[in-house]
Amino acid sequence: MKNCEYQQIDPRALSVSPSSAQNHTEKKAQRPRRKWEVFPGKNRFFCDGRIILARQSGVLPLTLGLIVVTCGLFFAFDCPFLVEHLTVFIPVIGGVLFVFVVISLLRTSFTDPGILPRATPDEAADIEKQIDTSGSSTYRPPPRTKEILINQQVVKLKYCFTCKMFRPPRTSHCSLCDNCVERFDHHCPWVGNCVGKRNYRFFYSFIISLSFLTSFIFGCVITHITLRSQAGKSLLQAIQESPLVICFFSIWSILGLSGFHTYLVASNLTTNEDIKGSWSSKRGAEDSGNPYSYNSIMTNCCVTLCGPMPPSLIDRRGLLPPDEATPAASASDIELPLFAAKNDTHMCTQSTKDVLERMVHSSDFHGLCPPGTPKTTPLEPEDSSTPAPSAEPSPSSTGCSQQHAHQPMATPCPPFSRGSKRDSLHSINPAFRLASPSPSLSRASLILGDAADTGFIPLP
Amino acid sequence: MTHSLQDLQQPAVSSKVFIQRDYSSGTICKFQTKFPSELESRLDKQQFEETIQTLNNLYAEAEKLGGKSYLEGCLACLTAYTIFLCMETHYEKVLKKIARYIKDQNEKIYAPRGLLLTDPIERGLRVVEITIFEDRSIGSGR
């Protein structure tokens, strides 16, 4: 996770004057770049931005492999026998289901789940200005929430420190992908991507079709074995040649997962909300306190699965305008330090040194910080990975690991987790609070924060 | 958008106003119609409200749940979503309409007053960004 600490936006760092913008055009690459090349999240892009994947897509090949192997065994060993004894439609149905499953899986994996682009520096400054004038005048970063009314129900919107904006309702920040995702359901390692607004229907059709496929194969295999044993052939040999074992174990988890998601679709909930119990406290008044539910199963299903397909908001293949420094805040690694260095080198170096010194001194603070839960993230209610087997009826072996946002931490100190990079970023914070909020210091911390993300500054 | 590039090169940007989303009706795309104080000297309240209201109506049309959208969804499902590779979705069509409307508004109303509306889709449908340019006759806006 990159920037979990609050970085005060320095209004003077915003690229408002045309002269500094023009200097940038000389520094920019000659070839016009596409926006996916400077995308700040942890995603990988293929085919010049057409295909998007999470950075860690490790288990996707396994998922594909399992499906292909199971079906391969089915077609190779069971189909000839069953075609002979039953009907030719068996491999046809199997083939159709297999194709459907693979297409749904690939669609889920390669589709943008509904990533929200990060706020531009101007936008972020505008939001921070509002917060400062209405609340405290210090630069201490409290967990910021905004309460709004949705359908006469109070909903809290949280401020995302990484993306520098108030998250829309039902949006969550995925720590694995480092993006805010709309209608965030969960991050699925089997699919290698987040499941959110734009690809939930693909995910749902994937698991439903997979349930049908595995049930179908299971049924055919049982039939095959039964017929073979009746014919007097060796039962053991028949079992060995069939994909029975894989089917047997996966079928229950997949059926369970499908059932769980069918329930979610019918009540217009996300896995995230269900786990957090966002609306369960209000249960009793209506069928649920969920303000997004249409209180009709059919409508909920139609809306979630057959509703209009929203467009991708991140415009991966768009060309970067040559005179824009960065399309999103904290995106380009080189741009921001260069820009600051250009304007006020001496001041920045001085303040950077000060901050670095303080960093060294305040690394002692860590011993004093109360340790939190290792898996929660500091200060900011960003998601962390916690497998939640109790939430799903299916065994966690094939369940997707659930991501959910935690409530803002009451303690100002972060738990001692995830390496020294986080610690050094945190140690800027007490230094920042101690010093008066001078523009040079804030600019230095802006550079420091961003540069530290990309490993420019050697950590103590 | 090339539109914004051309404008930025000549008059200096004085400030930017951001119209935030209005979530009172849920997660549908809708912007607040409250008139920002920074625009008082440049624009009529009514003009502004009309622009935002039209935008809201267009987005509502894009996200409308009805027979047509359900049909599109079901058809897509049956073709294993491959139909989206060749067909433009209803939402995309409305987005193009919105882009045309914004361009039109900019040309007729906002540019003569030294303002520029940015299409919300370029800001992830989070805000309507209105750039206020320095007006030589009035002076800087802020």
Side-chain angles (χ1 to χ4, degrees), chain A residues 174-196:
Chain A
C174 175
S175 54
L176 288 171
C177 304
D178 203 24
N179 291 315
C180 270
V181 176
E182 282 192 291
R183 203 184 182 278
F184 180 76
D185 196 82
H186 64 283
H187 182 99
C188 185
W190 296 93
V191 153
N193 201 0
C194 288
V195 176

Side-chain angles (χ1 to χ4, degrees), chain A residues 35-271:
Chain A
K35 290 183 185 168
W36 65 264
E37 298 181 49
V38 295
F39 186 70
K42 289 183 190 162
N43 287 96
R44 288 189 291 168
F45 297 90
F46 300 102
C47 294
D48 200 20
R50 288 184 181 88
I51 292 176
I52 178 172
L53 262 182
R55 181 160 294 181
Q56 304 151 347
S57 57
V59 200
L60 173 63
L62 176 67
T63 313
L64 268 172
L66 276 174
I67 294 171
V68 166
V69 162
T70 311
C71 292
L73 286 173
F74 168 71
F75 286 124
F77 296 108
D78 295 302
C79 279
F81 184 87
L82 289 169
V83 163
E84 208 182 293
H85 288 79
L86 286 179
T87 168
V88 75
F89 284 117
I90 289 187
V92 170
I93 296 171
V96 166
L97 280 174
F98 172 70
V99 164
F100 201 84
V101 164
V102 171
I103 291 181
S104 303
L105 173 62
L106 294 178
R107 248 1 260 252
T108 314
S109 301
F110 297 153
T111 305
D112 164 21
I115 296 174
L116 278 177
R118 296 190 184 182
T120 56
D122 297 320
E123 239 180 281
D126 187 64
I127 295 177
E128 295 193 12
K129 219 182 338 163
Q130 290 169 0
I131 291 166
D132 267 353
T133 51
S134 63
S136 62
S137 56
T138 63
Y139 291 99
R140 182 198 177 97
R144 284 183 266 188
T145 57
K146 191 163 79 165
E147 285 192 359
I148 55 166
L149 271 181
I150 296 182
N151 293 333
Q152 276 77 49
Q153 199 157 335
V154 174
V155 173
K156 275 199 177 126
L157 297 187
K158 294 193 182 113
Y159 183 76
C160 182
F161 286 87
T162 313
C163 303
K164 295 213 179 345
M165 59 178 178
F166 277 99
R167 286 187 210 128
R170 309 194 99 174
T171 304
S172 233
H173 191 97
C174 175
S175 54
L176 288 171
C177 304
D178 203 24
N179 291 315
C180 270
V181 176
E182 282 192 291
R183 203 184 182 278
F184 180 76
D185 196 82
H186 64 283
H187 182 99
C188 185
W190 296 93
V191 153
N193 201 0
C194 288
V195 176
K197 184 160 91 166
R198 294 187 76 242
N199 64 352
Y200 187 72
R201 63 191 74 192
F202 306 141
F203 176 73
Y204 186 73
S205 65
F206 165 60
I207 54 175
I208 293 290
S209 52
L210 191 61
S211 311
F212 280 121
L213 181 67
T214 39
S215 316
F216 179 73
I217 292 181
F218 192 66
C220 289
V221 161
I222 296 289
T223 315
H224 180 192
I225 290 173
T226 317
L227 290 175
R228 263 199 203 264
S229 55
Q230 278 176 355
K233 293 209 178 125
S234 155
L235 187 64
L236 202 60
Q237 192 192 13
I239 291 175
Q240 274 174 349
E241 285 171 3
S242 66
L244 183 67
V245 176
I246 303 175
C247 266
F248 184 75
F249 288 111
S250 57
I251 199 172
W252 307 116
S253 6
I254 291 166
L255 281 178
L257 191 63
S258 304
F260 176 62
H261 277 279
T262 308
Y263 156 71
L264 288 182
V265 164
S267 37
N268 204 335
L269 279 174
T270 62
T271 310

Side-chain angles (χ1 to χ4, degrees), chain A residues 323-391:
Chain A
D323 64 353
E324 245 180 58
T326 45
S330 73
S332 184
D333 20 30
I334 304 169
E335 303 292 39
L336 216 45
L338 262 181
F339 172 76
K342 199 176 246 320
N343 277 355
D344 210 343
T345 319
H346 175 71
M347 259 177 88
C348 287
T349 323
Q350 207 56 32
S351 344
T352 314
K353 273 190 205 157
D354 291 339
V355 179
L356 275 172
E357 273 176 350
R358 289 202 189 97
M359 255 166 66
V360 172
H361 292 311
S362 48
S363 58
D364 302 329
F365 280 144
H366 294 301
L368 307 172
C369 290
T373 325
K375 293 242 172 96
T376 57
T377 57
L379 280 175
E380 162 56 21
E382 309 208 73
D383 298 344
S384 62
S385 57
T386 27
S390 55

Side-chain angles (χ1 to χ4, degrees), chain A residues 16 100 103 107 117-119 122-123 126 148-151 165 168-169 202 205 294 302-303 306 309 311 313 323, chain B residues 5 13 16 18 23-24 26-27 62-63 65 69-70 73-74 77 80-81 91 95 121 123-127 142:
Chain A
V16 172
F100 201 84
I103 291 181
R107 248 1 260 252
R118 296 190 184 182
D122 297 320
E123 239 180 281
D126 187 64
I148 55 166
L149 271 181
I150 296 182
N151 293 333
M165 59 178 178
F202 306 141
S205 65
Y294 292 84
C302 288
V303 164
C306 305
M309 184 70 183
L313 296 173
D323 64 353
Chain B
L5 283 177
V13 174
K16 293 188 184 185
F18 297 94
Y23 295 115
S24 56
T27 51
E63 297 180 5
L65 307 160
S69 66
Y70 289 151
C74 287
C77 181
Y81 302 104
Y91 208 116
L95 283 179
I121 194 77
R123 298 286 178 263
L125 289 182
R126 284 189 310 268
V127 287
R142 303 198 71 150

